[in-house]
Amino acid sequence: MKLEDFIHNTGQWLKGTGAYANIVMSSRLRLARNLAKHPFPNKADKKELLAICETIKAAMDEIPQFKDSIFLKIQDLDNVDRQFLIERHLMSHEHAANPEGKALVVSKEEILSVMINEEDHMRIQVMESGFNLEEIWNVATTIDDELAKKLDFAYSMQWGYLTACPTNTGTAMRGSVMLHLPALVMTKQINKVLTAISKLNFASRGFYGEGTQASGNFYQISNQVSMGHSEQDVIQNINGLIRQVIEQEEQARQALLLQNKPMLEDKIFRSYGVLKNAHIISSQETVELLSMLRLGIDLQIIKDIDQKIINDLFIKIQPAHLQKLEGKKLNAADRDRKRASLIRQKIGGN
Amino acid sequence: MKLEDFIHNTGQWLKGTGAYANIVMSSRLRLARNLAKHPFPNKADKKELLAICETIKAAMDEIPQFKDSIFLKIQDLDNVDRQFLIERHLMSHEHAANPEGKALVVSKEEILSVMINEEDHMRIQVMESGFNLEEIWNVATTIDDELAKKLDFAYSMQWGYLTACPTNTGTAMRGSVMLHLPALVMTKQINKVLTAISKLNFASRGFYGEGTQASGNFYQISNQVSMGHSEQDVIQNINGLIRQVIEQEEQARQALLLQNKPMLEDKIFRSYGVLKNAHIISSQETVELLSMLRLGIDLQIIKDIDQKIINDLFIKIQPAHLQKLEGKKLNAADRDRKRASLIRQKIGGN
């Protein structure tokens, strides 16, 4: 497997399978782990970072789950490739910004990925389509156990897993669920929902990561607290909250259908029409229209297109993806044209 | 031929044939004629109006050009039918507003129509597709000659044809040409053109008649002066002006293609996409999008649809037409839905 193959693949998390795939795009768990007796990355020099990298790689090489993985040194990648991996939700901006001694490991289908020497020595991420944090937890904990057999993790009986930032200490686990909530937005209930989420100590972010605005009506909801509760408790808490949000979105969709189906059909079909026909389109407009199209598919108003294609487009319309697809650098105006042509090609437009 | 048949027909003037049909929708001549020794309609009582009507009808009945015509007493028509005839450019609002003693005669294909007892005893209109005022003049003058054999027209050697309003006295002829000028609008040259037209003593109105704003980038240009020049001179004058406007529009189209084809394609295809997919649409939005689609057909950017269908839609999307098509009264919201569904049906949408 090579980095170049990724562009033609769709990550498993985008395939529109799994529970509640009409509302839940994907579920994700992230574990932070550090090696004992090594400084945290921000305190380590280059030599130490490389040694940490080597130690972790050696351990992974013996673990079957990493058999088909790709190991990428961030320093070896150009800017487009780094941006490309960020766009695929496989690594953070921070990981790309200061690449020395950093690496990224990605499994086939992109279910499993590990950032080495980001804020912590290891950030293990498991991401799958649909609403299934427990299944993902099983995957993550198995890998964690395998790694723990070969690596000496920084762990305190009192505090749990030790991390570079104290907010992660404890389980060092963050679970997050990417929800598509167009009906809560259209019925203007979303702020009430987000306020409730925040009061319960959960965070909400946009589709395109930390610090991004919600776009395309996507909301990534994750736990903030990782200390004082077991992993299972944290997952149960997230699940309970997410189930409520799903129910509210479903009610809002039914209310829209009942009260104003023609308006909804109009909005959805127009979005489809513009996506099929635009020759120049910004990413902002694209995600808004794709969101309506996704809703249309979920509500069976649009029947001739697979949700997987739409999910995948949310990723592929980003700048680095467009440039990888085109095989060269594109300026903003070129990208707006390439984006439109890609969309027409994928959804059968004019 | 019955009034009910009109709804399923397309007037000849919308067929997109004739010279410069890419820019000139249609040409139209109107002659005002009054019977000698009868008061003008605004001075006539009901009995006199009916007598005038009968006299004119009797004359027409003997003229071959009126053989397949329909004779409609305005008072017998309901509001929707009156509005319907106004929307088809066959009669004026004024003719509908005060219907007593008024009639309308319309030939097959709607090339020839006569308002009886509007402002003048007869307003003879000949309207055809494309840029061909001279051909139309031949049609109009033949009919005028036939009518003159049977009717005694009010005519003064000094003033020419006498009319209710002195601005029409003389030739009592108005020639007008309906132009589609999207490129002059997009390149912001239209106001300069309209100012020049006005200085040359020509009037400019919108697609939907006197007092209407230009919509869908249509401009109806007509002569203001009807005294002191022969009919042929007036027609030559209009033709000369229209040829210049056509040339400017053509240059503006070429400039747009040269300088910003992607923007133009984007605008045109998006318009097509929205028209194919909207489920609710206002008449204002419709004419703007149809205008772009018409331009796209003219520039061969859109190749899978006949211009005649688009021309016809400009007429059919109006309120009375929608209600005739539906066979019942529709409120504004119903019409916005019916309009969208008619458009999808005509241009093959979703």
Short mmCIF file of all heavy atoms in Angstrom, two decimals, chain A residues 260 262-266 269-274 276-282 285 289 304 337 340 350, chain B residues 260 262-266 269-274 276-282 285 289 304 337 340 350:
data_model
loop_
_atom_site.label_atom_id
_atom_site.label_comp_id
_atom_site.label_asym_id
_atom_site.label_seq_id
_atom_site.Cartn_x
_atom_site.Cartn_y
_atom_site.Cartn_z
N ASN A 260 -43.93 20.81 5.93
CA ASN A 260 -43.51 21.58 4.75
C ASN A 260 -42.72 20.73 3.76
O ASN A 260 -41.63 21.09 3.35
CB ASN A 260 -42.71 22.80 5.18
CG ASN A 260 -42.92 23.95 4.22
OD1 ASN A 260 -43.38 23.74 3.10
ND2 ASN A 260 -42.58 25.15 4.63
N PRO A 262 -43.19 20.19 0.52
CA PRO A 262 -42.83 20.82 -0.75
C PRO A 262 -41.59 21.71 -0.65
O PRO A 262 -40.72 21.68 -1.51
CB PRO A 262 -44.07 21.65 -1.10
CG PRO A 262 -45.18 20.97 -0.40
CD PRO A 262 -44.59 20.46 0.88
N MET A 263 -41.50 22.49 0.45
CA MET A 263 -40.33 23.34 0.63
C MET A 263 -39.06 22.49 0.73
O MET A 263 -38.03 22.80 0.15
CB MET A 263 -40.52 24.18 1.92
CG MET A 263 -39.36 25.08 2.30
SD MET A 263 -37.94 24.24 3.12
CE MET A 263 -38.67 23.74 4.70
N LEU A 264 -39.18 21.38 1.46
CA LEU A 264 -38.04 20.49 1.65
C LEU A 264 -37.63 19.86 0.32
O LEU A 264 -36.44 19.82 -0.03
CB LEU A 264 -38.46 19.40 2.64
CG LEU A 264 -37.35 18.65 3.34
CD1 LEU A 264 -36.49 19.58 4.17
CD2 LEU A 264 -37.94 17.56 4.24
N GLU A 265 -38.60 19.37 -0.44
CA GLU A 265 -38.30 18.78 -1.75
C GLU A 265 -37.66 19.81 -2.66
O GLU A 265 -36.71 19.51 -3.38
CB GLU A 265 -39.60 18.25 -2.39
CG GLU A 265 -40.10 17.00 -1.73
CD GLU A 265 -41.40 16.50 -2.32
OE1 GLU A 265 -42.23 17.33 -2.76
OE2 GLU A 265 -41.60 15.27 -2.34
N ASP A 266 -38.20 21.02 -2.62
CA ASP A 266 -37.66 22.08 -3.46
C ASP A 266 -36.19 22.32 -3.13
O ASP A 266 -35.34 22.35 -4.01
CB ASP A 266 -38.47 23.36 -3.25
CG ASP A 266 -38.01 24.50 -4.14
OD1 ASP A 266 -38.00 24.32 -5.37
OD2 ASP A 266 -37.64 25.56 -3.60
N PHE A 269 -34.04 19.12 -4.17
CA PHE A 269 -33.86 18.94 -5.61
C PHE A 269 -33.04 20.08 -6.23
O PHE A 269 -32.24 19.88 -7.13
CB PHE A 269 -35.21 18.81 -6.32
CG PHE A 269 -35.76 17.41 -6.28
CD1 PHE A 269 -36.84 17.08 -5.48
CD2 PHE A 269 -35.18 16.40 -7.04
CE1 PHE A 269 -37.34 15.79 -5.44
CE2 PHE A 269 -35.67 15.11 -7.02
CZ PHE A 269 -36.75 14.79 -6.22
N ARG A 270 -33.27 21.31 -5.74
CA ARG A 270 -32.46 22.42 -6.25
C ARG A 270 -30.98 22.18 -5.95
O ARG A 270 -30.13 22.45 -6.80
CB ARG A 270 -32.87 23.73 -5.58
CG ARG A 270 -34.09 24.38 -6.19
CD ARG A 270 -34.52 25.56 -5.32
NE ARG A 270 -35.67 26.21 -5.88
CZ ARG A 270 -35.65 27.39 -6.51
NH1 ARG A 270 -34.52 28.04 -6.64
NH2 ARG A 270 -36.74 27.91 -7.00
N SER A 271 -30.69 21.70 -4.74
CA SER A 271 -29.30 21.43 -4.39
C SER A 271 -28.71 20.41 -5.36
O SER A 271 -27.59 20.56 -5.86
CB SER A 271 -29.20 20.89 -2.96
OG SER A 271 -29.76 21.82 -2.06
N TYR A 272 -29.49 19.37 -5.61
CA TYR A 272 -29.06 18.32 -6.53
C TYR A 272 -28.82 18.94 -7.92
O TYR A 272 -27.79 18.68 -8.57
CB TYR A 272 -30.16 17.26 -6.60
CG TYR A 272 -29.76 15.90 -7.14
CD1 TYR A 272 -28.44 15.53 -7.27
CD2 TYR A 272 -30.75 14.98 -7.50
CE1 TYR A 272 -28.09 14.27 -7.76
CE2 TYR A 272 -30.41 13.72 -7.98
CZ TYR A 272 -29.09 13.37 -8.12
OH TYR A 272 -28.76 12.13 -8.60
N GLY A 273 -29.76 19.77 -8.36
CA GLY A 273 -29.66 20.39 -9.68
C GLY A 273 -28.42 21.26 -9.82
O GLY A 273 -27.73 21.23 -10.84
N VAL A 274 -28.12 22.04 -8.78
CA VAL A 274 -26.94 22.91 -8.86
C VAL A 274 -25.67 22.07 -8.85
O VAL A 274 -24.75 22.30 -9.64
CB VAL A 274 -26.95 23.94 -7.71
CG1 VAL A 274 -25.62 24.70 -7.66
CG2 VAL A 274 -28.11 24.92 -7.88
N LYS A 276 -25.24 19.10 -9.92
CA LYS A 276 -25.11 18.40 -11.20
C LYS A 276 -24.69 19.33 -12.33
O LYS A 276 -24.25 18.87 -13.37
CB LYS A 276 -26.48 17.82 -11.61
CG LYS A 276 -26.75 16.43 -11.10
CD LYS A 276 -28.06 15.97 -11.72
CE LYS A 276 -28.46 14.59 -11.31
NZ LYS A 276 -29.79 14.24 -11.84
N ASN A 277 -24.87 20.64 -12.13
CA ASN A 277 -24.70 21.56 -13.25
C ASN A 277 -23.67 22.66 -13.06
O ASN A 277 -23.28 23.30 -14.03
CB ASN A 277 -26.05 22.21 -13.60
CG ASN A 277 -26.97 21.24 -14.30
OD1 ASN A 277 -26.83 21.01 -15.50
ND2 ASN A 277 -27.88 20.61 -13.56
N ALA A 278 -23.25 22.90 -11.82
CA ALA A 278 -22.30 24.01 -11.61
C ALA A 278 -20.99 23.71 -12.33
O ALA A 278 -20.57 22.55 -12.43
CB ALA A 278 -22.05 24.20 -10.11
N HIS A 279 -20.37 24.75 -12.83
CA HIS A 279 -19.05 24.62 -13.45
C HIS A 279 -17.98 25.33 -12.62
O HIS A 279 -16.79 25.18 -12.87
CB HIS A 279 -19.07 25.18 -14.88
CG HIS A 279 -19.60 24.18 -15.86
ND1 HIS A 279 -20.83 23.59 -15.73
CD2 HIS A 279 -19.06 23.62 -16.98
CE1 HIS A 279 -21.01 22.73 -16.73
NE2 HIS A 279 -19.96 22.74 -17.49
N ILE A 280 -18.43 26.10 -11.66
CA ILE A 280 -17.53 26.77 -10.72
C ILE A 280 -18.24 26.69 -9.37
O ILE A 280 -19.39 27.10 -9.27
CB ILE A 280 -17.32 28.26 -11.10
CG1 ILE A 280 -16.70 28.40 -12.49
CG2 ILE A 280 -16.48 28.97 -10.05
CD1 ILE A 280 -16.64 29.84 -13.00
N ILE A 281 -17.57 26.17 -8.35
CA ILE A 281 -18.26 26.09 -7.05
C ILE A 281 -17.25 26.15 -5.92
O ILE A 281 -16.20 25.52 -5.96
CB ILE A 281 -19.17 24.84 -6.98
CG1 ILE A 281 -20.16 24.94 -5.83
CG2 ILE A 281 -18.36 23.55 -6.91
CD1 ILE A 281 -21.34 23.97 -5.92
N SER A 282 -17.58 26.93 -4.88
CA SER A 282 -16.72 27.05 -3.70
C SER A 282 -16.95 25.85 -2.79
O SER A 282 -17.96 25.16 -2.89
CB SER A 282 -17.07 28.33 -2.94
OG SER A 282 -18.34 28.17 -2.32
N GLU A 285 -20.17 26.49 -0.53
CA GLU A 285 -21.44 26.21 -1.20
C GLU A 285 -21.61 24.70 -1.38
O GLU A 285 -22.69 24.15 -1.18
CB GLU A 285 -21.53 26.92 -2.56
CG GLU A 285 -22.91 26.75 -3.19
CD GLU A 285 -23.05 27.34 -4.59
OE1 GLU A 285 -22.06 27.85 -5.14
OE2 GLU A 285 -24.17 27.26 -5.14
N LEU A 289 -24.78 22.30 -0.15
CA LEU A 289 -25.63 21.59 -1.11
C LEU A 289 -25.53 20.08 -0.90
O LEU A 289 -26.54 19.36 -0.96
CB LEU A 289 -25.24 21.95 -2.54
CG LEU A 289 -25.41 23.44 -2.92
CD1 LEU A 289 -24.91 23.68 -4.34
CD2 LEU A 289 -26.85 23.89 -2.78
N ASP A 304 -31.72 8.03 -6.73
CA ASP A 304 -30.84 7.51 -7.77
C ASP A 304 -29.36 7.69 -7.46
O ASP A 304 -28.53 7.65 -8.35
CB ASP A 304 -31.18 8.14 -9.13
CG ASP A 304 -30.99 9.66 -9.12
OD1 ASP A 304 -30.75 10.22 -8.03
OD2 ASP A 304 -31.08 10.27 -10.19
N ARG A 337 -13.19 25.19 -10.19
CA ARG A 337 -13.62 24.51 -11.42
C ARG A 337 -13.44 23.00 -11.31
O ARG A 337 -14.32 22.24 -11.71
CB ARG A 337 -12.82 25.05 -12.61
CG ARG A 337 -13.32 26.40 -13.09
CD ARG A 337 -13.04 26.60 -14.56
NE ARG A 337 -11.63 26.88 -14.79
CZ ARG A 337 -11.11 28.11 -14.72
NH1 ARG A 337 -11.86 29.14 -14.43
NH2 ARG A 337 -9.83 28.29 -14.95
N ALA A 340 -16.13 21.50 -9.16
CA ALA A 340 -17.41 21.36 -9.88
C ALA A 340 -17.35 20.18 -10.85
O ALA A 340 -18.31 19.41 -10.96
CB ALA A 340 -17.73 22.66 -10.62
N ASN A 350 -24.21 17.35 -15.82
CA ASN A 350 -24.03 17.77 -17.22
C ASN A 350 -22.59 18.21 -17.52
O ASN A 350 -21.99 18.89 -16.77
CB ASN A 350 -24.97 18.94 -17.52
CG ASN A 350 -26.39 18.46 -17.68
OD1 ASN A 350 -26.66 17.59 -18.50
ND2 ASN A 350 -27.29 18.99 -16.87
N ASN B 260 -14.70 35.34 -20.31
CA ASN B 260 -15.10 34.62 -19.10
C ASN B 260 -16.06 33.47 -19.40
O ASN B 260 -17.14 33.38 -18.82
CB ASN B 260 -15.71 35.60 -18.09
CG ASN B 260 -15.43 35.16 -16.68
OD1 ASN B 260 -15.07 34.00 -16.46
ND2 ASN B 260 -15.60 36.04 -15.72
N PRO B 262 -15.92 30.26 -18.60
CA PRO B 262 -16.30 29.37 -17.48
C PRO B 262 -17.40 29.97 -16.61
O PRO B 262 -18.33 29.27 -16.21
CB PRO B 262 -14.99 29.23 -16.69
CG PRO B 262 -13.91 29.49 -17.70
CD PRO B 262 -14.47 30.54 -18.61
N MET B 263 -17.31 31.30 -16.35
CA MET B 263 -18.35 31.95 -15.55
C MET B 263 -19.69 31.84 -16.25
O MET B 263 -20.72 31.57 -15.65
CB MET B 263 -17.95 33.42 -15.32
CG MET B 263 -18.95 34.29 -14.58
SD MET B 263 -20.41 34.84 -15.53
CE MET B 263 -19.66 36.02 -16.68
N LEU B 264 -19.66 32.05 -17.57
CA LEU B 264 -20.87 32.01 -18.37
C LEU B 264 -21.47 30.60 -18.37
O LEU B 264 -22.68 30.41 -18.15
CB LEU B 264 -20.53 32.44 -19.79
CG LEU B 264 -21.66 32.92 -20.68
CD1 LEU B 264 -22.31 34.16 -20.09
CD2 LEU B 264 -21.15 33.23 -22.08
N GLU B 265 -20.63 29.61 -18.58
CA GLU B 265 -21.10 28.22 -18.57
C GLU B 265 -21.68 27.87 -17.20
O GLU B 265 -22.72 27.22 -17.10
CB GLU B 265 -19.94 27.27 -18.89
CG GLU B 265 -19.54 27.32 -20.35
CD GLU B 265 -18.36 26.41 -20.65
OE1 GLU B 265 -17.48 26.24 -19.77
OE2 GLU B 265 -18.30 25.88 -21.77
N ASP B 266 -20.99 28.33 -16.16
CA ASP B 266 -21.47 28.05 -14.81
C ASP B 266 -22.87 28.63 -14.61
O ASP B 266 -23.78 27.95 -14.14
CB ASP B 266 -20.48 28.64 -13.80
CG ASP B 266 -20.87 28.33 -12.37
OD1 ASP B 266 -20.99 27.14 -12.04
OD2 ASP B 266 -21.06 29.28 -11.58
N PHE B 269 -25.48 26.69 -16.93
CA PHE B 269 -25.79 25.33 -16.49
C PHE B 269 -26.50 25.31 -15.14
O PHE B 269 -27.40 24.52 -14.90
CB PHE B 269 -24.52 24.47 -16.43
CG PHE B 269 -24.15 23.87 -17.76
CD1 PHE B 269 -23.06 24.33 -18.47
CD2 PHE B 269 -24.91 22.85 -18.32
CE1 PHE B 269 -22.72 23.80 -19.71
CE2 PHE B 269 -24.58 22.30 -19.55
CZ PHE B 269 -23.48 22.78 -20.26
N ARG B 270 -26.08 26.22 -14.24
CA ARG B 270 -26.79 26.30 -12.96
C ARG B 270 -28.26 26.65 -13.17
O ARG B 270 -29.14 26.09 -12.50
CB ARG B 270 -26.17 27.37 -12.06
CG ARG B 270 -24.93 26.91 -11.32
CD ARG B 270 -24.29 28.11 -10.63
NE ARG B 270 -23.11 27.71 -9.91
CZ ARG B 270 -23.03 27.60 -8.58
NH1 ARG B 270 -24.06 27.90 -7.82
NH2 ARG B 270 -21.93 27.21 -7.99
N SER B 271 -28.51 27.60 -14.07
CA SER B 271 -29.90 27.98 -14.35
C SER B 271 -30.68 26.78 -14.84
O SER B 271 -31.81 26.52 -14.39
CB SER B 271 -29.93 29.09 -15.40
OG SER B 271 -29.20 30.21 -14.96
N TYR B 272 -30.07 26.05 -15.75
CA TYR B 272 -30.70 24.83 -16.28
C TYR B 272 -30.97 23.84 -15.15
O TYR B 272 -32.07 23.28 -15.02
CB TYR B 272 -29.75 24.23 -17.32
CG TYR B 272 -30.36 23.24 -18.29
CD1 TYR B 272 -31.73 23.12 -18.47
CD2 TYR B 272 -29.52 22.44 -19.08
CE1 TYR B 272 -32.25 22.22 -19.39
CE2 TYR B 272 -30.04 21.54 -20.01
CZ TYR B 272 -31.40 21.42 -20.16
OH TYR B 272 -31.90 20.53 -21.06
N GLY B 273 -29.97 23.67 -14.29
CA GLY B 273 -30.10 22.72 -13.18
C GLY B 273 -31.22 23.09 -12.23
O GLY B 273 -31.99 22.23 -11.78
N VAL B 274 -31.34 24.37 -11.92
CA VAL B 274 -32.39 24.80 -11.00
C VAL B 274 -33.76 24.64 -11.66
O VAL B 274 -34.70 24.12 -11.05
CB VAL B 274 -32.17 26.26 -10.52
CG1 VAL B 274 -33.38 26.77 -9.75
CG2 VAL B 274 -30.92 26.33 -9.65
N LYS B 276 -34.64 22.55 -13.90
CA LYS B 276 -34.95 21.11 -14.00
C LYS B 276 -35.36 20.51 -12.67
O LYS B 276 -35.93 19.43 -12.63
CB LYS B 276 -33.70 20.35 -14.48
CG LYS B 276 -33.56 20.22 -15.97
CD LYS B 276 -32.37 19.30 -16.22
CE LYS B 276 -32.13 19.07 -17.68
NZ LYS B 276 -30.89 18.27 -17.87
N ASN B 277 -34.99 21.18 -11.57
CA ASN B 277 -35.14 20.55 -10.27
C ASN B 277 -36.01 21.28 -9.26
O ASN B 277 -36.38 20.68 -8.24
CB ASN B 277 -33.75 20.33 -9.64
CG ASN B 277 -33.02 19.18 -10.30
OD1 ASN B 277 -33.29 18.02 -9.99
ND2 ASN B 277 -32.13 19.47 -11.23
N ALA B 278 -36.29 22.56 -9.49
CA ALA B 278 -37.06 23.31 -8.50
C ALA B 278 -38.46 22.69 -8.37
O ALA B 278 -39.04 22.21 -9.34
CB ALA B 278 -37.16 24.77 -8.90
N HIS B 279 -38.98 22.72 -7.17
CA HIS B 279 -40.35 22.27 -6.92
C HIS B 279 -41.26 23.43 -6.54
O HIS B 279 -42.47 23.30 -6.48
CB HIS B 279 -40.38 21.19 -5.84
CG HIS B 279 -40.05 19.83 -6.39
ND1 HIS B 279 -38.91 19.58 -7.10
CD2 HIS B 279 -40.76 18.67 -6.39
CE1 HIS B 279 -38.91 18.30 -7.47
NE2 HIS B 279 -40.01 17.74 -7.06
N ILE B 280 -40.65 24.58 -6.26
CA ILE B 280 -41.37 25.82 -5.95
C ILE B 280 -40.57 26.92 -6.63
O ILE B 280 -39.36 27.02 -6.40
CB ILE B 280 -41.43 26.08 -4.43
CG1 ILE B 280 -42.14 24.95 -3.68
CG2 ILE B 280 -42.10 27.43 -4.14
CD1 ILE B 280 -42.04 25.06 -2.16
N ILE B 281 -41.22 27.73 -7.45
CA ILE B 281 -40.44 28.79 -8.11
C ILE B 281 -41.33 29.98 -8.45
O ILE B 281 -42.46 29.81 -8.92
CB ILE B 281 -39.69 28.24 -9.35
CG1 ILE B 281 -38.60 29.21 -9.80
CG2 ILE B 281 -40.64 27.92 -10.51
CD1 ILE B 281 -37.56 28.57 -10.72
N SER B 282 -40.83 31.17 -8.16
CA SER B 282 -41.56 32.41 -8.47
C SER B 282 -41.42 32.73 -9.96
O SER B 282 -40.51 32.23 -10.62
CB SER B 282 -40.99 33.56 -7.65
OG SER B 282 -39.71 33.91 -8.15
N GLU B 285 -37.97 34.63 -10.55
CA GLU B 285 -36.80 33.75 -10.65
C GLU B 285 -36.84 32.97 -11.96
O GLU B 285 -35.82 32.80 -12.63
CB GLU B 285 -36.73 32.79 -9.45
CG GLU B 285 -35.44 31.97 -9.48
CD GLU B 285 -35.34 30.92 -8.38
OE1 GLU B 285 -36.30 30.75 -7.60
OE2 GLU B 285 -34.29 30.24 -8.31
N LEU B 289 -33.91 32.74 -14.90
CA LEU B 289 -33.23 31.48 -15.24
C LEU B 289 -33.51 31.09 -16.70
O LEU B 289 -32.61 30.63 -17.40
CB LEU B 289 -33.69 30.37 -14.29
CG LEU B 289 -33.37 30.60 -12.81
CD1 LEU B 289 -33.93 29.46 -11.96
CD2 LEU B 289 -31.87 30.72 -12.57
N ASP B 304 -29.35 20.28 -25.78
CA ASP B 304 -30.37 19.23 -25.77
C ASP B 304 -31.79 19.77 -25.59
O ASP B 304 -32.69 19.03 -25.21
CB ASP B 304 -30.05 18.20 -24.68
CG ASP B 304 -30.05 18.82 -23.29
OD1 ASP B 304 -30.13 20.06 -23.17
OD2 ASP B 304 -29.98 18.06 -22.31
N ARG B 337 -45.82 26.21 -7.24
CA ARG B 337 -45.58 24.76 -7.39
C ARG B 337 -45.94 24.28 -8.80
O ARG B 337 -45.21 23.51 -9.40
CB ARG B 337 -46.40 23.98 -6.35
CG ARG B 337 -45.78 24.03 -4.97
CD ARG B 337 -46.14 22.79 -4.16
NE ARG B 337 -47.51 22.86 -3.70
CZ ARG B 337 -47.88 23.50 -2.58
NH1 ARG B 337 -46.98 24.11 -1.83
NH2 ARG B 337 -49.13 23.52 -2.21
N ALA B 340 -43.28 25.31 -11.25
CA ALA B 340 -42.10 24.44 -11.20
C ALA B 340 -42.38 23.11 -11.88
O ALA B 340 -41.54 22.58 -12.61
CB ALA B 340 -41.68 24.24 -9.74
N ASN B 350 -36.37 16.60 -13.00
CA ASN B 350 -36.58 15.51 -12.04
C ASN B 350 -37.97 15.57 -11.39
O ASN B 350 -38.44 16.60 -11.06
CB ASN B 350 -35.53 15.57 -10.94
CG ASN B 350 -34.21 15.08 -11.45
OD1 ASN B 350 -34.12 13.95 -11.94
ND2 ASN B 350 -33.18 15.90 -11.38
#
